[in-house]
Amino acid sequence: MCGIVGVVGHQKAESFILEGLRRLEYRGYDSAGLGVIDRAGKLHRLRAAGKVQALADKIPAGLGGTTAVGHTRWATHGAASDDNAHPHMAGRVLVVHNGIIENFKSLREELAARGRTFSSQTDTEVVAHLIDQEMQSGKDPVEAFRAVLPRLQGAFALGVLIDGESSFIMGARKGAPLIAGMGEDEGYLGSDPLALSGHARRIMFLEDGDMVIIRKGAIEAFDRDGARVERALVPAETSHVLAEKGNHRHFMEKEIHEQPEMIGRTVSHYVDAFENRVHDISGLDFRGASRLVIVGCGTAAYAGEIARYWFGSLARLAVEVEIASEFRYRDPVFLPGDIALFISQSGETADTLEAMRLAAAAGVQTLALVNTAHSTIAREASLVVPTLAGPEIGVASTKAFTCQLSALACLAVLAGRHRGHLDRAQEAGHVASLLAAPGLMVRAIESEDEIEKLAQGIAGYPTVLYLGRNQYFPLALEAALKLKEISYIHAEGYAAGELKHGPIALIEEGMPVIVIAPHDALFDKTRSSIQQVASRGAHVIALTDPDGASALAGEAARIVTLPSGSQLTSVLLFASAVQLLAYHVAVYKGTDVDQPRNLAKSVTVE
């Protein structure tokens, strides 16, 4: 996760920024930078690839800043370099940014046509140019910032300084976290309360779509429509652990809400957003692959099951998905040309590690899809294909799962190109859809209030069934797992087409049956399954898209409508919905959401 920290009215602003950036180092980054306004009102920008210390070494003695913003960056659009490090500038405007601006290419082309030149490969630089352009037309900085925000598509958090204006910082958020804070005489901005812990006395958690102007003695907040709003200032937590949760009750809730940002970060690692093309990965070539063997445990295995559909459809590549604890003990047969992909959030899952060692001993190329770069699985694999979910504290996997899916989707597109089954236009279409996923995820999570209302009714039942077809069948399995592990309700996931082969005998009056039903090529088949269980008294909750909601009116007891996605992104949106449903059922029941009984985050023993 990228980090933003800002301060206004501080006696040593650059020192405060460095402290805040160091607190965020554990989240991972590859460059750092800051913008600071000195006592004379002059804006200075300093950036460095590498660690925060490399940035600190560039700060001149006696700078005497009073207002500043800083940033740690994971490279997304553009390589890790000084030029691509944040902050970015245009004219008097300096910007730091977390997230992705989906429409940056069209904005960049528009700005270039007006004579603007760019010095980086990032999406962020267009924001600085847009604000500066509005100021050049006569708007003051606040008006200019407000005019630009509706033009930005995607998930983002922004911090903005203006050269010559040391009395305020501007910020805005859409789908990425951002907070404002007040101290004794200072105002603060941050992407994480941890960066402000011990300094800010009161914290304001900005709502999605908010814009904020922070001064020494006041915070002005505006909603997405530009109307002035009052947001509560609450006492800041002094505990770093509590600060890290922010305004969320549990880490799991926080991590669900982090998904737009983390998905964007993971996708951007694999694709060239300028060319709408997946990067080649040195040492990985799907052209001669005879088969892809995907191995994982629990949620990781379900991610592999979903990806099986993508590799088959996009690349015509045979895929076998194996549970690591079974695979390692059944004397597996490997074929010439096999590639084996091992999925683990921690990179330390014992069964997955031993299964990988078994494949390596047979001479099979091993790929590690992990969230922990220096883990054992990552060190021992032939190649590492990372997920960039950031630390996941909740035992029940959420953002790690959707980042695994995002990385697997990129690999499936790459395999499709390698094997000649995707032409240039098809690849570009899939990449464009993946780059749009963070913005769609923001909209999907906006269904939380509606989903929360369903939780009370579900919590009273001993059994819940989930149904899905095609790639949504393994998602139904994952949904059932989520509900089981944090609410302790017995839940099962089934392929909807298998109802008459046994599971329909379980249906009884009032039983909750949750059906994942996008309006796709198999919608009519799924609709038939809904009718079958509803006619037997089931309380059907349909998770669908706008077209599906229209078609299912009157046929399901409750309908949750999510945004329409593509072949590769809609499963991400439905994943967020089933995660939120499990979470709120568990909260209603009063279970230990983050540390459910009998479970551990990383299973390092058999």
Side-chain angles (χ1 to χ4, degrees), residues 45-121:
R45 177 176 63 159
L46 300 158
R47 301 180 293 174
K51 298 301 181 183
V52 170
Q53 186 57 46
L55 173 65
D57 292 342
K58 288 188 172 185
I59 298 176
L63 184 57
T66 60
T67 299
V69 294
H71 189 268
T72 52
R73 174 186 188 250
W74 262 107
T76 54
H77 296 76
S81 66
D82 286 6
D83 287 342
N84 288 328
H86 295 215
H88 290 282
M89 289 189 68
R92 296 172 55 206
V93 180
L94 179 144
V95 174
V96 293
H97 162 224
N98 288 351
I100 286 180
I101 307 300
E102 291 174 14
N103 59 331
F104 85 99
K105 285 199 297 185
S106 61
L107 293 172
R108 185 175 173 124
E109 290 167 0
E110 172 194 315
L111 289 162
R114 295 186 178 187
R116 298 234 165 207
T117 58
F118 294 83
S119 59
S120 78
Q121 301 169 297

Side-chain angles (χ1 to χ4, degrees), residues 445-457:
I445 292 173
E446 289 174 352
S447 301
E448 181 170 12
D449 289 346
E450 183 180 2
I451 292 170
E452 184 177 3
K453 292 173 184 175
L454 301 175
Q456 182 173 349

